[in-house]
Amino acid sequence: MILDTHQHFWRTDRGDYHWMTPEVAVLARDYLPNDLRPALRTAGVAQTIIVQAAQTVAETDFILQLAEETDFVAGVIGWFDLEDENFPQAFAEKRKKRPKLLGVRPMLQDLPDDDWVIRKKVITNLGYLADQQVAFEFLTYTRHLPMVLEVLEQVPRLHAVIDHLSKPEIKAGRMEPWQGLLSKVASHENVFCKLSGMITEADHGTWEPDHLRPYIEHVLESFGEDRVMFGSDWPVCLLAGSYAEAVNALRTVVSTRLSPEGLTKLFWRNGARFYGIQ
């Protein structure tokens, strides 16, 4: 059994996907549950988590509705304004109506201010999420990791996960400063890491599993087998490969490093535990 902790759906006519440009033509079309279902069946994936792809409450409502209508979707990570004075009430009200709402993700990588996540009001609202043990997702590049560390110092109980390994420079084969910074993040024992989004950070035309290996191995060494989880990042992964290729690239690397129990944790149990999925 596999839980895919990171996939997206979108409908282009909604018009709030700021990143949808001609440069990413393969992504500039509708991607909905029936588009993904055959790939899940082939890969043996039983459940998924939909993650927001636009910085609007309207898009969060859209994917929450899809989640309610789709049998394989276990939950949703949505977008909310974390500078809003009324965020706790808005989130609580939404979650009461939509129980598949499991967490929050701002798109930190796309914000003009790298320090946004350590603004006073944001930190206050992250404290609320920590108190409620609600999942928070860091969508970051390496340059954001110092701010991630500052957040974790100020909100040490934050129930958090690093998306896509914080996007190391796989195409360039560069390990530092990502390696050292991620090790410091991993020292916070309540933080998990998604082994996701890797093939799109590699060379789209020539990547192979061994190009991902040093980054995967560093995450496993830093976080251990109890705090890592699989995510496909479909359909974004289509920039570099199919759903099956994204799954099999990870399997190829970890199959020699993890026991059968460790593989079960990576592909199912850790994600279910992190998100509270039965």
Side-chain angles (χ1 to χ4, degrees), residues 25-44:
V26 70
L27 304 182
R29 48 150 285 196
D30 294 352
Y31 285 98
L32 295 167
N34 284 338
D35 298 305
L36 178 57
R37 196 181 298 274
L40 299 182
R41 189 179 301 117
T42 300

Side-chain angles (χ1 to χ4, degrees), residues 249-271:
L250 179 58
R251 277 202 183 110
T252 297
V253 175
V254 301
S255 61
T256 58
R257 290 194 52 93
L258 295 177
S259 67
E261 174 71 9
L263 292 171
T264 298
K265 291 176 180 179
L266 168 62
F267 283 104
W268 179 268
R269 193 175 302 155
N270 293 343

Side-chain angles (χ1 to χ4, degrees), residues 13-197:
D13 64 7
R14 296 193 56 264
D16 53 0
Y17 304 103
H18 66 279
W19 46 265
M20 194 175 285
T21 66
E23 287 72 35
V24 290
V26 70
L27 304 182
R29 48 150 285 196
D30 294 352
Y31 285 98
L32 295 167
N34 284 338
D35 298 305
L36 178 57
R37 196 181 298 274
L40 299 182
R41 189 179 301 117
T42 300
V45 175
Q47 290 184 296
T48 72
I49 303 291
I50 309 175
V51 180
Q52 61 79 226
Q55 300 179 94
T56 64
V57 172
E59 197 251 0
T60 295
D61 287 337
F62 166 69
I63 56 178
L64 282 166
Q65 185 63 38
L66 285 179
E68 291 184 1
E69 299 168 352
T70 305
D71 56 347
F72 60 76
V73 175
V76 165
I77 304 302
W79 181 92
F80 289 80
D81 182 359
L82 287 170
E83 287 195 285
D84 184 355
E85 294 278 350
N86 297 315
F87 164 74
Q89 296 91 329
F91 182 83
E93 289 173 8
K94 184 78 69 179
R95 199 177 193 195
K96 185 176 181 180
K97 296 175 183 175
R98 306 277 197 170
K100 284 193 174 182
L101 177 60
L102 302 181
V104 177
R105 184 178 85 151
M107 300 178 81
L108 300 179
Q109 68 171 25
D110 295 335
L111 297 179
D113 180 7
D114 287 351
D115 291 338
W116 178 89
V117 73
I118 57 175
R119 291 181 182 180
K120 184 176 181 180
K121 179 50 66 177
V122 176
I123 291 292
T124 298
N125 284 327
L126 291 180
Y128 165 79
L129 293 178
D131 290 341
Q132 300 298 313
Q133 281 295 282
V134 170
F136 180 76
E137 308 220 357
F138 285 103
L139 175 62
T140 55
Y141 292 110
T142 297
R143 71 176 189 270
H144 297 97
L145 289 176
M147 276 64 75
V148 172
L149 288 166
E150 188 164 341
V151 169
L152 296 173
E153 289 297 323
Q154 294 193 53
V155 193
R157 293 173 293 102
L158 190 63
H159 186 58
V161 60
I162 305 296
D163 289 351
H164 313 327
L165 295 69
S166 197
K167 297 195 169 185
E169 296 177 79
I170 297 174
K171 182 177 179 179
R174 189 169 293 120
M175 294 293 289
E176 294 293 354
W178 170 84
Q179 185 173 26
L181 288 168
L182 198 71
S183 293
K184 292 178 181 178
V185 171
S187 70
H188 294 265
E189 295 182 355
N190 51 318
V191 180
F192 286 58
C193 187
K194 288 187 185 181
L195 287 166
S196 60

